[in-house]
Amino acid sequence: MSTISIWFVRAALVHFAIGATTGAWRLAATGGALPPVPLTLRPLHVEGMLVGWVCQLAFGVALWILPFSDRVSSDRRLWVAWGLLNGGIVSVVGAQWGATPALQIVGRSAEVAAGLLVLWVLWPRVRALPARGHG
Amino acid sequence: MPTPARWLIKTALLHLILGFGLALMRAGQVAGLVPGMASTLWLPQLHILTVGWLTQLIFGVAFWLFPSPAPGTQPSARLIWIAYGMLNGGVLLRVGAEPGLIPESLQTWSLAGTAALQWGASLLLVVHFWGRVRPK
């Protein structure tokens, strides 16, 4: 697995652990076994699971497994994308915390930019290879 | 394909069918053909599809695809089976524990139980896979 994929996948696992913890707290709180989750922490579950876990894991695995992965870790666009994605998630969650819509826009913009950078890298790698008997 | 991967992926497929089945049942409730309120099973259906199907499929494929652990750091196979049992037990209990389906007196502990099972499974899966996210 390439170094950049390791960073994406490990960050995804961290988001998964945090998102699962917040989700379990919310669920237990629904029945009254724990105090309610503060509203400000709720995005940790949805944002963390959807963007931090699923999207980030998909990025990491795609960068590793799609054709032509040589030297992918030396591509600066991907390190910038990693920073933008995770910074974006933190900003979106932080925006809820501080009720600051401007930070929400910053975070969402960073996520869009990260997605575009990954698209820029992956687009030319999604192409036909010489046939290998797959029919 | 290793045995835990096959069990995780096949069980994920069963959850997919269960999730679609619940969606069909809820559609019937909205149309008045099936008794009950459609909103009652919305969150369980969402969790069956996101946890039982999507997350379980991801970890099943990852078990098969990810690099082997470094020599001497092989996590116990028991870990993945315990996580498998907790994840599926937690998701299924989630359906049964939904407020409106069981007596109110049982809701607190059944919801706490499903939360604890899914949380424990998640942490065990992270522990198992962390060491496998490495160069081949």
Side-chain angles (χ1 to χ4, degrees):
Chain A
M1 190 181 285
S2 59
T3 306
I4 186 69
S5 289
I6 291 173
W7 278 72
F8 270 112
V9 175
R10 285 198 167 167
L13 285 171
V14 169
H15 283 288
F16 176 69
I18 295 171
T21 302
T22 321
W25 182 5
R26 283 184 72 171
L27 197 51
T30 304
L34 289 176
V37 180
L39 275 174
T40 50
L41 289 183
R42 291 190 180 174
L44 276 176
H45 181 54
V46 177
E47 186 76 12
M49 286 304 209
L50 191 62
V51 184
W53 163 236
V54 175
C55 291
Q56 185 151 226
L57 181 81
F59 286 172
V61 173
L63 290 168
W64 168 46
I65 214 160
L66 288 174
F68 310 106
S69 62
D70 296 347
R71 294 194 303 274
V72 69
S73 297
S74 59
D75 191 330
R76 285 187 187 171
R77 290 173 295 177
L78 294 173
W79 291 102
V80 173
W82 188 90
L84 284 169
L85 185 71
N86 288 286
I89 295 165
V90 171
S91 299
V92 169
V93 173
Q96 188 81 4
W97 198 299
T100 46
L103 192 57
Q104 172 102 350
I105 291 170
V106 169
R108 293 288 180 216
S109 303
E111 290 174 359
V112 170
L116 287 172
L117 284 170
V118 172
L119 178 146
W120 185 11
V121 172
L122 286 181
W123 194 272
R125 287 176 56 188
V126 182
R127 58 175 155 145
L129 289 173
R132 291 196 298 180
H134 295 309
Chain B
M1 196 179 272
T3 307
R6 285 187 278 120
W7 276 76
L8 285 162
I9 293 170
K10 285 186 172 175
T11 312
L13 287 166
L14 293 176
H15 277 283
L16 176 70
I17 301 304
L18 180 60
F20 282 174
L22 279 180
L24 174 64
M25 193 177 95
R26 292 181 57 245
Q29 287 174 329
V30 171
L33 301 171
V34 178
M37 285 178 60
S39 59
T40 304
L41 287 172
W42 158 238
L43 281 175
Q45 181 206 330
L46 186 67
H47 280 94
I48 282 172
L49 290 175
T50 53
V51 182
W53 159 240
L54 187 58
T55 301
Q56 189 156 221
L57 180 78
I58 286 170
F59 282 115
V61 173
F63 192 93
W64 169 48
L65 194 69
F66 276 18
S68 304
T73 63
Q74 177 84 37
S76 167
R78 196 182 294 172
L79 198 72
I80 206 79
W81 288 116
I82 294 171
Y84 171 82
M86 289 174 80
L87 185 112
N88 287 290
V91 173
L92 294 178
L93 184 59
R94 176 77 180 89
V95 180
E98 186 57 28
L101 293 181
I102 59 167
E104 211 167 298
S105 57
L106 292 177
Q107 273 171 23
T108 299
W109 297 111
S110 54
L111 283 172
T114 179
L117 285 169
Q118 291 183 72
W119 181 64
S122 304
L123 296 191
L124 288 178
L125 289 166
V126 170
V127 167
H128 173 86
F129 282 99
W130 190 265
R132 292 185 59 181
V133 183
R134 67 186 194 92
K136 239 178 187 169

